[in-house]
Amino acid sequence: MSREEILKSIQDKYEGLDVPVDAMLEGLLWSKPITYWDYIQTDALLGLQIPRTTQPDEMVFIMYHQVNELIFKMILWEIDQVAKSVEITADNFSKHLMRISRYFDMLCSSFTVMADGMDLDQYLKFRNTLTPASGFQSAQYRKIEFASTELINLIDARFRDSIDRNSSFKEAYDHLYWQAAGKNYTTGQKTTLLKLFEKKYMGEFIDFMEDYNDCNLSSKFKQLPKEVQEDTALIKAMRHYDYTVNVKWVMAHYNAAGKYLGGDDTALEATGGSNWRKYLHPKYQRRIFFPYLWSEQELKNWGSF
């Protein structure tokens, strides 16, 4: 575009916003040039790491989880490009799914940063100061689940026959698979971990569940024309996403936890008090976003292939 065309486009834009063009242009005289550190907010980001102990490797633990939360935000941003679109093609659906999967691939491989980046003795010293906090309390991760599939696929397998689309969102919430990990497995009572989590997020979660009830990734896929649903590249992208999130990512987490919390006979409880081996392992939870895209044998062996 020529300078005249650019100026004309600027004038049209701000007149459309009912903003005086001359005032906007004069404002440019006094504005500061943008810098990398202002744009990225580097100082603010680097000031968010506040250890609770004197153990140096706690800093690794904090920063690693903060990076995870930033990536979760990127994933939710990509999901919305599909969920909130009025019309979407197979190519765009696949494109965004593969972006999301790449983020999860990065998360899976990144576990070595924490697993090999912290001394066991240091971890065992600072971990108890974190009680009852837990990665279980990542609200963004729960939102990723809600935005990916129908609620029935997130219900504890023991209760799926009693929950349907006529059930209230609160009833569905009370029977989500991860509720069991937030309860004392001997008394059935909610732990402090779950009580604090629900106090902060339960209302927000229920609103989010309702908002994505008909526009989650699975629902959007089912709304596509049949010929688009049969697109092999799209199916491959959805299966990749499902497996990456619900098996690969979970097992990476599971194996990293095992390094620090011990084997089956010696395993420590997670900081939130959960039986983490059963909570984390996909063969127990059988969380599957798109079960209709897997064979009967694949579903039977979920988490074992």
Side-chain angles (χ1 to χ4, degrees):
M1 295 175 67
S2 66
R3 177 177 295 183
E4 290 75 17
E5 290 173 326
I6 292 173
L7 290 173
K8 180 63 168 60
S9 295
I10 290 174
Q11 182 174 355
D12 292 344
K13 172 183 176 179
Y14 283 94
E15 284 180 353
L17 296 172
D18 198 26
V19 174
V21 177
D22 290 344
M24 185 277 300
L25 291 173
E26 185 177 352
L28 293 176
L29 292 173
W30 320 119
S31 64
K32 295 180 179 179
I34 189 67
T35 62
Y36 171 83
W37 51 90
D38 285 335
Y39 182 65
I40 302 300
Q41 290 291 293
T42 308
D43 291 342
L45 276 174
L46 299 182
L48 295 175
Q49 295 76 46
I50 307 175
R52 294 173 57 88
T53 73
T54 59
Q55 302 303 305
D57 284 351
E58 185 188 356
M59 185 64 81
V60 177
F61 190 80
I62 292 172
M63 287 191 285
Y64 177 77
H65 286 85
Q66 288 181 341
V67 168
N68 280 0
E69 291 296 332
L70 288 173
I71 295 175
F72 289 161
K73 185 172 183 177
M74 293 169 70
I75 290 167
L76 285 166
W77 186 262
E78 290 293 337
I79 288 177
D80 269 2
Q81 309 310 302
V82 176
K84 301 301 183 180
S85 63
V86 177
E87 295 182 4
I88 189 162
T89 64
D91 286 344
N92 274 338
F93 207 126
S94 298
K95 176 183 71 177
H96 291 293
L97 277 175
M98 293 312 297
R99 286 182 182 178
I100 295 165
S101 293
R102 281 194 294 272
Y103 296 147
F104 269 107
D105 285 338
M106 182 168 59
L107 286 170
C108 292
S109 62
S110 74
F111 265 112
T112 58
V113 172
M114 186 173 63
D116 298 331
M118 298 188 304
D119 289 346
L120 178 59
D121 62 331
Q122 289 192 39
Y123 173 75
L124 293 177
K125 288 174 182 176
F126 73 72
R127 72 181 294 271
N128 284 332
T129 69
L130 308 180
T131 305
S134 168
F136 171 98
Q137 295 172 314
S138 171
Q140 288 198 114
Y141 188 74
R142 302 305 168 198
K143 288 180 177 180
I144 289 170
E145 295 178 325
F146 296 144
S148 294
T149 190
E150 292 91 345
L151 285 174
I152 192 63
N153 296 322
L154 302 175
I155 299 297
D156 189 316
R158 297 170 297 175
F159 306 115
R160 287 182 186 174
D161 290 341
S162 62
I163 301 292
D164 58 31
R165 290 188 69 86
N166 294 320
S167 303
S168 69
F169 289 104
K170 176 61 167 61
E171 185 178 2
Y173 172 87
D174 288 338
H175 292 87
L176 292 168
Y177 79 93
W178 46 261
Q179 285 280 339
K183 296 177 182 177
N184 184 301
Y185 49 85
T186 56
T187 67
Q189 298 298 308
K190 291 183 179 181
T191 61
T192 300
L193 161 82
L194 184 57
K195 290 178 182 177
L196 292 173
F197 192 44
E198 291 186 336
K199 182 177 180 181
K200 181 168 179 61
Y201 291 114
M202 183 170 66
E204 185 176 336
F205 282 161
I206 291 175
D207 288 344
F208 194 92
M209 290 160 64
E210 184 173 6
D211 189 27
Y212 283 81
N213 190 47
D214 295 318
C215 69
N216 57 73
L217 294 179
S218 180
S219 294
K220 292 293 284 191
F221 175 79
K222 292 178 179 178
Q223 293 167 19
L224 294 170
K226 184 178 179 180
E227 63 273 16
V228 178
Q229 291 185 39
E230 295 174 349
D231 183 272
T232 55
L234 176 54
I235 292 173
K236 182 179 179 181
M238 293 188 71
R239 282 169 54 94
H240 180 81
Y241 173 59
D242 205 351
Y243 181 82
T244 301
V245 178
N246 292 320
V247 176
K248 188 177 176 182
W249 153 258
V250 175
M251 288 307 299
H253 193 176
Y254 180 89
N255 292 331
K259 177 172 181 176
Y260 289 99
L261 299 181
D264 289 327
D265 297 328
T266 60
L268 298 171
E269 284 188 346
T271 51
S274 66
N275 183 344
W276 63 272
R277 285 199 172 274
K278 285 193 174 181
Y279 164 63
L280 281 177
H281 205 292
K283 72 179 181 181
Y284 291 113
Q285 290 302 336
R286 299 190 55 76
R287 182 187 57 197
I288 307 169
F289 290 159
F290 317 121
Y292 46 85
L293 295 180
W294 300 93
S295 70
E296 183 177 343
Q297 189 65 25
E298 288 171 327
L299 293 174
K300 181 180 179 181
N301 295 322
W302 190 255
S304 302
F305 64 94

